[in-house]
Amino acid sequence: EVQLVESGGGLVQAGGSLRLSCAASGFTSDDYAIGWFRQAPGKEREGVSCLSTSDGSTYYTASVKGRFTISRDNAKNTVYLQMNSLKPEDTAVYYCAALGGFAKCVARLTRPDRNYGGMNYWGEGTPVTVSS
Protein backbone atom coordinates (compact mmCIF):
# COMPACT_ATOMS: atom_id res chain seq x y z
CA GLU A 1 0.00 0.00 0.00
CA VAL A 2 1.37 3.36 -1.03
CA GLN A 3 1.57 5.90 1.76
CA LEU A 4 2.74 9.47 1.99
CA VAL A 5 3.06 11.07 5.40
CA GLU A 6 3.86 14.73 5.82
CA SER A 7 5.36 16.22 8.96
CA GLY A 8 7.22 19.29 10.13
CA GLY A 9 4.51 21.90 9.98
CA GLY A 10 3.92 24.37 12.75
CA LEU A 11 3.80 28.00 13.78
CA VAL A 12 6.66 30.30 12.83
CA GLN A 13 7.21 34.04 12.70
CA ALA A 14 7.61 35.85 9.42
CA GLY A 15 11.17 35.56 8.20
CA GLY A 16 11.62 32.22 9.89
CA SER A 17 12.18 28.74 8.50
CA LEU A 18 10.57 25.34 8.58
CA ARG A 19 11.47 22.01 7.00
CA LEU A 20 8.64 19.77 5.91
CA SER A 21 9.11 16.06 5.36
CA CYS A 22 7.24 13.66 3.11
CA ALA A 23 7.91 10.04 4.01
CA ALA A 24 7.00 7.63 1.23
CA SER A 25 6.40 3.92 1.48
CA GLY A 26 4.94 1.12 -0.58
CA PHE A 27 6.30 2.23 -3.95
CA THR A 28 7.44 -0.46 -6.37
CA SER A 29 8.85 1.97 -8.91
CA ASP A 30 11.34 4.81 -8.52
CA ASP A 31 10.23 6.61 -11.66
CA TYR A 32 7.79 9.18 -10.43
CA ALA A 33 7.79 12.69 -9.02
CA ILE A 34 7.01 14.15 -5.65
CA GLY A 35 5.15 17.42 -5.65
CA TRP A 36 4.43 19.81 -2.83
CA PHE A 37 1.16 21.69 -2.92
CA ARG A 38 -0.56 23.97 -0.45
CA GLN A 39 -4.04 25.17 0.31
CA ALA A 40 -4.74 28.28 2.32
CA PRO A 41 -8.06 28.74 4.14
CA GLY A 42 -10.76 29.70 1.68
CA LYS A 43 -8.47 29.36 -1.31
CA GLU A 44 -7.85 26.79 -3.99
CA ARG A 45 -4.95 24.40 -3.79
CA GLU A 46 -1.81 25.71 -5.47
CA GLY A 47 1.41 24.10 -6.57
CA VAL A 48 4.73 24.74 -4.84
CA SER A 49 7.48 22.47 -6.12
CA CYS A 50 8.31 19.18 -7.84
CA LEU A 51 11.19 16.75 -7.64
CA SER A 52 11.91 13.86 -9.98
CA THR A 53 12.82 10.66 -8.17
CA SER A 54 14.59 9.33 -11.25
CA ASP A 55 17.10 12.11 -11.89
CA GLY A 56 16.60 14.66 -9.11
CA SER A 57 15.30 17.43 -11.35
CA THR A 58 13.48 20.16 -9.46
CA TYR A 59 10.99 22.89 -10.27
CA TYR A 60 9.55 25.73 -8.24
CA THR A 61 6.64 28.05 -8.74
CA ALA A 62 7.44 31.75 -8.87
CA SER A 63 5.96 32.49 -5.46
CA VAL A 64 8.49 30.29 -3.65
CA LYS A 65 11.51 30.24 -5.96
CA GLY A 66 14.61 31.37 -4.14
CA ARG A 67 13.05 30.78 -0.73
CA PHE A 68 12.07 27.09 -0.78
CA THR A 69 14.28 24.11 -1.58
CA ILE A 70 13.06 20.61 -2.36
CA SER A 71 15.42 17.71 -1.75
CA ARG A 72 15.41 14.00 -1.06
CA ASP A 73 17.06 11.38 1.08
CA ASN A 74 16.84 8.15 -0.88
CA ALA A 75 17.97 6.04 2.06
CA LYS A 76 15.02 7.31 4.09
CA ASN A 77 12.55 7.46 1.17
CA THR A 78 11.84 10.99 2.25
CA VAL A 79 11.46 14.24 0.35
CA TYR A 80 11.97 17.51 2.15
CA LEU A 81 10.78 21.04 1.58
CA GLN A 82 13.06 23.56 3.25
CA MET A 83 11.16 26.81 3.59
CA ASN A 84 13.12 29.96 4.38
CA SER A 85 12.14 33.62 4.60
CA LEU A 86 8.58 32.62 5.31
CA LYS A 87 5.82 35.13 4.78
CA PRO A 88 2.29 35.27 6.22
CA GLU A 89 0.98 34.44 2.75
CA ASP A 90 2.77 31.08 2.97
CA THR A 91 0.25 30.05 5.62
CA ALA A 92 -1.53 26.92 4.37
CA VAL A 93 -1.88 23.20 4.74
CA TYR A 94 0.98 21.65 2.79
CA TYR A 95 0.49 18.38 0.96
CA CYS A 96 2.92 16.10 -0.80
CA ALA A 97 1.84 14.00 -3.73
CA ALA A 98 3.38 11.20 -5.74
CA LEU A 99 2.60 11.82 -9.38
CA GLY A 100 3.26 9.96 -12.60
CA GLY A 101 6.45 11.67 -13.73
CA PHE A 102 8.19 14.99 -13.53
CA ALA A 103 6.44 16.58 -16.51
CA LYS A 104 3.04 15.70 -15.11
CA CYS A 105 4.02 17.04 -11.71
CA VAL A 106 5.16 20.36 -13.16
CA ALA A 107 1.98 20.62 -15.24
CA ARG A 108 -0.06 19.98 -12.16
CA LEU A 109 1.62 22.79 -10.24
CA THR A 110 -0.40 25.22 -12.33
CA ARG A 111 -3.51 23.02 -12.44
CA PRO A 112 -3.64 21.16 -9.11
CA ASP A 113 -7.23 20.18 -9.74
CA ARG A 114 -6.41 18.32 -12.94
CA ASN A 115 -5.32 14.69 -13.01
CA TYR A 116 -2.91 14.11 -15.87
CA GLY A 117 -3.11 10.38 -15.49
CA GLY A 118 -0.92 7.74 -13.92
CA MET A 119 0.25 7.76 -10.33
CA ASN A 120 -1.76 10.08 -8.09
CA TYR A 121 -1.21 9.59 -4.37
CA TRP A 122 -1.60 12.29 -1.74
CA GLY A 123 -0.75 12.67 1.90
CA GLU A 124 -3.03 14.09 4.56
CA GLY A 125 -1.19 17.38 4.82
CA THR A 126 0.66 19.31 7.51
CA PRO A 127 -0.37 22.83 8.56
CA VAL A 128 1.98 25.78 8.40
CA THR A 129 1.13 29.09 10.02
CA VAL A 130 3.33 32.14 9.55
CA SER A 131 2.61 34.99 11.90
CA SER A 132 3.37 38.60 11.04
Side-chain angles (χ1 to χ4, degrees), residues 31-34 50-52 54 98-107 117-119:
D31 186 16
Y32 56 94
I34 292 290
C50 286
L51 179 144
S52 168
S54 61
L99 303 172
F102 187 66
K104 290 180 180 178
C105 184
V106 172
M119 189 180 293

Side-chain angles (χ1 to χ4, degrees), residues 20 27 35-36 45 62 73 80 84 86 98 124 131:
L20 306 183
F27 289 89
W36 282 99
R45 188 170 296 187
D73 183 331
Y80 302 100
N84 298 329
L86 283 162
E124 295 295 316
S131 63

Side-chain angles (χ1 to χ4, degrees), residues 39-96:
Q39 187 164 18
K43 295 188 176 181
E44 295 185 349
R45 188 170 296 187
E46 66 170 331
V48 175
S49 181
C50 286
L51 179 144
S52 168
T53 60
S54 61
D55 65 9
S57 297
T58 60
Y59 186 90
Y60 302 91
T61 55
S63 61
V64 305
K65 194 171 185 178
R67 299 188 298 124
F68 291 10
T69 302
I70 191 170
S71 63
R72 60 179 174 168
D73 183 331
N74 289 337
K76 296 182 178 180
N77 289 326
T78 299
V79 172
Y80 302 100
L81 186 69
Q82 178 67 43
M83 307 187 296
N84 298 329
S85 302
L86 283 162
K87 305 174 182 180
E89 51 263 43
D90 294 317
T91 294
V93 177
Y94 284 71
Y95 301 87
C96 67

